[in-house]
Amino acid sequence: MALGARGGPAAGVAVAGALGAYADAHPGDGAPLLTLWFSSMIEMKSWLATGAAALLVVQLGSALAMYGRLPGVRRVPGWVGMLHRWSGVAAFGLTLPVAFACVWSIGFEDEPGRVLVHSVAGCLFYGVFTVKMLALRVRGLPAWVLPVLGGLVLALLALVWSTSALWFFTSGVSS
């Protein structure tokens, strides 16, 4: 296995650990740094995260098609790979202002339990994403590695979304 393959997990741990450590050492005051065109920071975070979560459906469908696991699809059009790549880029891009607001304005929180799960899953998402992106460039990996890493990225982003945006939309908390 190539040196890059061994360094990928370490890079992922470093990214997740650095995000968590920074957010924990520099707890924010909750003041919004940016809201874009939304009325509040939490509304911005919720809608951008929802956009990223919606792109998860595109990511999952296109990945299943590329790996021949999408029922009823025998021949995958050539554009599916590009759709997968760019929907992933767009989803990741939507997460960046959300993460920035979380890390800078809120910090790493451990209460209540939902928020602890959200904080840990958010850090792990970026760590696993790092490993997946590095693994894309490593030749000779077992065939199961990329689908497993992609599934972890998807599951972690779904967990982050469900412990934040879904909670925001269903809890009745005002923005």
Side-chain angles (χ1 to χ4, degrees), residues 42-67:
I42 193 167
E43 184 180 359
M44 176 204 67
K45 289 174 39 179
S46 296
W47 281 109
L48 292 180
T50 298
L55 288 168
L56 289 178
V57 176
V58 176
Q59 285 280 285
L60 180 59
S62 58
L64 289 172
M66 290 186 312
Y67 281 93

Side-chain angles (χ1 to χ4, degrees), residues 1 6-7 12 16 23 32 42-43 51 59 68 79 101 104 112 114 147 149 153:
M1 194 174 284
R6 282 182 261 146
I42 193 167
E43 184 180 359
Q59 285 280 285
W79 53 263
W104 189 268
R114 172 191 63 82
L149 290 171
V153 167

Side-chain angles (χ1 to χ4, degrees), residues 5-167:
R6 282 182 261 146
V13 169
V15 167
L19 281 172
Y22 181 86
D24 189 46
H26 299 93
D29 58 6
L33 292 172
L34 72 154
T35 59
L36 302 177
W37 53 88
F38 298 98
S39 63
S40 69
M41 182 176 65
I42 193 167
E43 184 180 359
M44 176 204 67
K45 289 174 39 179
S46 296
W47 281 109
L48 292 180
T50 298
L55 288 168
L56 289 178
V57 176
V58 176
Q59 285 280 285
L60 180 59
S62 58
L64 289 172
M66 290 186 312
Y67 281 93
R69 302 283 190 224
L70 194 60
V73 175
R74 293 177 189 221
R75 188 169 111 36
V76 180
W79 53 263
V80 171
M82 193 62 69
L83 174 67
H84 184 78
R85 176 176 288 180
W86 285 105
S87 62
V89 167
F92 183 74
L94 288 173
T95 71
L96 293 175
V98 176
F100 181 70
C102 288
V103 170
W104 189 268
S105 293
I106 299 169
F108 192 97
E109 298 290 330
D110 58 6
E111 291 181 9
R114 172 191 63 82
V115 176
L116 174 61
V117 168
H118 176 78
S119 295
V120 170
C123 294
L124 289 174
F125 165 77
Y126 284 100
V128 173
F129 182 83
T130 300
V131 174
K132 181 181 182 255
M133 292 300 103
L134 292 172
L136 286 170
R137 303 294 177 224
V138 176
R139 302 263 187 240
L141 288 177
W144 59 266
V145 171
L146 286 176
V148 166
L149 290 171
L152 284 171
V153 167
L154 189 142
L156 286 165
L157 188 55
L159 182 58
V160 169
W161 177 81
S162 67
T163 56
S164 58
L166 179 62
W167 176 85

